[in-house]
Amino acid sequence: MTLTFTIGVMATAALAGVFGSLLGLGGGIILVPLFTLALGLPVHTAVAVSLVAVVANAASASVVNLRSSTANLGLAFALAVVTAIGSVSGGFLATSLSGVWLTGLFGVTLVGVALIMVIKPEGIRRPAPTLSPGNGDPTPPAAAAGAGDTPPADSDQAWLDAGYYDLAVGERVAYRPREVRRGLFVSFVAGNLSGLLGIGGGIVQVPLMNLLLGVPMKAATATSSLIISLTAASGAFVYLARGYAEPMLTAATVTGIYIGARGGARLAHHLPGAVLKRIFSVVLFYMAVRMLAQAFNLPFPF
Amino acid sequence: MTGQMTDLDQTYRRLARVLNWAVNLSLGLVLVALAWSAAGGRAGALPDVPALGRVVPALGRGEAWAIAYLGILTVLVTPIAQSLVVWLSHRAAAPRRLGLVALALLAVQVLAIVAAAL
């Protein structure tokens, strides 16, 4: 790997990191098409390298989320078991697929993500739950979270109770996730997509936790990062063992995405997220069409 | 939770510490590998060896390559360390169910490595 190529990889990864942070994505969904279309890397290599970078990025974000207790540890571990199984099976599936199929699948996924950004640029979210009294106890405000009735304190899911201090409103938010069993299947799908396409899977996990489990948006995002940091590595091992995650390439990518994500997080406070998402959805559509054209060997003028 | 720290609070802190160490160590290693490679260190390509050989890399493929590999492995084994921390913290302490779930995740993670290596 030449120095110029290394710098090119780092710059590409940094770009993916910046946009990932700005758009609330892990970066993998941007990194894989950039690597395959702009740098001409084989899709399996791009997916493998992206998956390792996504784990590193999620782990780094989780440090902050754990310190502030925004991530729900119990929920993360409960969902991580099936997500990890999904990630490994996704990795095996991807490594058995041809590059054409994998590129095509990624193209279709990109179309889906771009559509979500156009339709709901502010994110699919449940209204913020009513705040608990602010005494610091994770009294489950299930009604506030949309559950209908508050489960008893000794309920089967009491160990999943969590709370965090929301700086934006200056109060403690406490909640109890509901219907966790129903969320397990969706988590498996998220893990499978992660291992298959080299993405974090947050695009599935965050809406799942917010809409189905009634977890507040901030906690859902933080918990999703923790789940990714726990599970995406399982899929990454499959690629590593088959020689797709070239170490020097991965090293440059991890460094680039780390720098980019930090820069993007700072920029995010100054830029209008919803407008950015609408603009970026056009870029995603473009990348999707190019990946589909590449998969089906169709001529593409641009 | 307002006064005394619960077992769960301590687990949150322990886990954050483990992750912080792992991220810093891994980032440090990949930066050293990149600098080494830029300075002319060997960063040979992956030879055609059996899958197990790639999971446990043999020496002789280049110093920069080996350091970068170590950096990647650090990232990838961190989830196992996380599961271990949570399992050990909640084997006896409440909530016990968290310890059991962490043990289940640990088993899945180890099985994933074995399955990938075979």
Side-chain angles (χ1 to χ4, degrees):
Chain A
M1 215 163 83
T2 63
L3 185 61
T4 318
F5 187 71
T6 307
I7 292 169
V9 168
M10 279 176 75
T12 309
L15 194 70
V18 169
F19 281 107
S21 285
L22 288 177
L23 304 169
L25 302 169
I29 202 94
I30 307 163
L31 197 58
V32 175
L34 279 179
F35 271 178
T36 49
L37 300 173
L39 298 183
L41 290 175
V43 68
H44 284 96
T45 306
V47 167
V49 169
S50 164
L51 204 51
V52 180
V54 159
V55 178
N57 207 17
S60 167
S62 293
V63 175
V64 181
N65 294 329
L66 283 167
R67 279 182 184 151
S68 62
S69 300
T70 319
N72 184 332
L73 198 59
L75 183 62
F77 272 78
L79 296 180
V81 178
V82 283
T83 313
I85 297 170
S87 180
V88 181
S89 55
F92 278 117
L93 180 61
T95 50
S96 63
L97 286 176
S98 69
V100 172
W101 270 98
L102 199 54
T103 308
L105 268 174
F106 206 100
V108 172
T109 309
L110 273 181
V111 172
V113 175
L115 277 176
I116 292 171
M117 281 192 184
V118 171
I119 299 165
K120 284 270 184 187
E122 71 284 356
I124 304 166
R125 60 189 300 170
R126 186 174 275 280
T130 307
L131 300 171
S132 65
N135 58 3
D137 297 327
T139 312
D149 52 345
T150 308
D154 59 348
S155 140
D156 196 32
Q157 294 188 9
W159 68 287
L160 298 172
D161 286 354
Y164 64 95
Y165 189 80
D166 193 336
L167 281 173
V169 287
E171 280 198 60
R172 188 173 171 80
V173 180
Y175 61 94
R176 174 177 297 175
R178 57 196 160 82
E179 314 265 10
V180 176
R181 284 193 187 93
R182 275 175 61 192
L184 293 177
F185 175 73
V186 188
S187 280
F188 175 84
V189 174
N192 205 260
L193 276 177
S194 168
L196 184 65
L197 304 173
I199 59 176
I203 196 103
V204 179
Q205 291 274 20
V206 175
L208 157 80
M209 281 187 270
N210 186 240
L211 296 173
L212 192 65
L213 311 188
V215 177
M217 199 61 182
K218 276 186 186 173
T221 312
T223 307
S224 168
S225 270
L226 185 58
I227 293 174
I228 293 165
S229 81
L230 284 165
T231 59
S234 303
F237 269 113
V238 179
Y239 290 95
L240 191 67
R242 277 150 185 73
Y244 290 118
E246 207 287 310
M248 293 311 294
L249 184 67
T250 311
T253 309
V254 168
T255 311
I257 208 160
Y258 185 86
I259 296 166
R262 253 109 229 105
R266 288 183 185 194
L267 271 177
H269 296 295
H270 307 289
L271 296 172
V275 178
L276 264 177
K277 281 189 179 179
R278 284 221 165 88
I279 295 169
F280 201 77
S281 63
V282 179
V283 180
L284 283 185
F285 269 124
Y286 169 77
M287 291 199 288
V289 174
R290 278 208 51 185
M291 286 197 88
L292 288 170
Q294 189 174 310
F296 296 109
N297 210 13
L298 299 170
F300 195 79
F302 308 108
Chain B
M1 220 183 281
T2 42
Q4 207 176 344
M5 257 178 109
T6 64
D7 292 323
L8 196 57
D9 291 334
Q10 286 181 12
T11 309
Y12 270 88
R13 294 203 172 188
R14 237 173 259 149
L15 212 52
R17 256 201 311 270
V18 168
L19 269 180
N20 197 33
W21 264 93
V23 169
N24 288 338
L25 180 65
S26 157
L27 201 65
L29 284 169
V30 297
L31 283 173
V32 168
L34 288 171
W36 201 314
S37 170
R42 288 185 302 144
L46 200 67
D48 190 19
V49 292
L52 192 62
R54 293 190 208 111
V55 173
V56 186
L59 292 172
R61 292 180 201 165
E63 307 85 355
W65 189 94
I67 296 169
Y69 203 104
L70 210 59
I72 296 167
L73 276 187
T74 309
V75 172
L76 297 185
V77 298
T78 304
I80 294 178
Q82 291 186 74
S83 299
L84 259 175
V85 166
V86 174
W87 173 51
L88 292 173
S89 303
H90 291 275
R91 256 186 324 172
R96 294 275 299 274
R97 200 172 289 188
L98 178 57
L100 286 174
V101 172
L103 182 62
L105 180 59
L106 187 64
V108 171
Q109 288 162 335
V110 172
L111 280 174
I113 296 175
V114 174
L118 292 177

